Amino acid sequence: MHHPNEKMLPAQEVLQTVGIRSLTTLREMIRRDDFPKPYEITRGKRHWAMSEIQAWLQQRMADQRRED
């Protein structure tokens, strides 16, 4: 769970941050539970907690290092 004062990222910022080009790809990753789910801040407006995105990136990097 995110902290209430933490920065929340809209989809386009998430795509840029993690290097995903397509919103369709992001949605598919969420559906497969391979990516953090967004929070519905207001009706129809979904944002991701920056800390959860950073944790996901760190985990991906750690997993890749273990595979190398």
Side-chain angles (χ1 to χ4, degrees), residues 3 7 17-18 21 33 36 40 44-45 59-60 63 66:
H3 186 277
K7 182 171 181 175
T17 300
V18 300
R21 293 185 181 169
D33 286 329
E40 190 167 15
K45 299 289 182 183
Q59 185 62 55
R60 296 279 298 200
D63 290 348
R66 280 193 292 277

Side-chain angles (χ1 to χ4, degrees), residues 12-38:
Q12 289 304 317
E13 251 185 274
V14 171
L15 293 174
Q16 289 178 326
T17 300
V18 300
I20 297 172
R21 293 185 181 169
S22 162
L23 193 53
T24 302
T25 300
L26 181 63
R27 287 182 183 135
E28 179 61 24
M29 291 170 66
I30 292 166
R31 188 190 66 74
R32 292 188 321 247
D33 286 329
D34 290 338
F35 197 80
K37 290 182 172 59

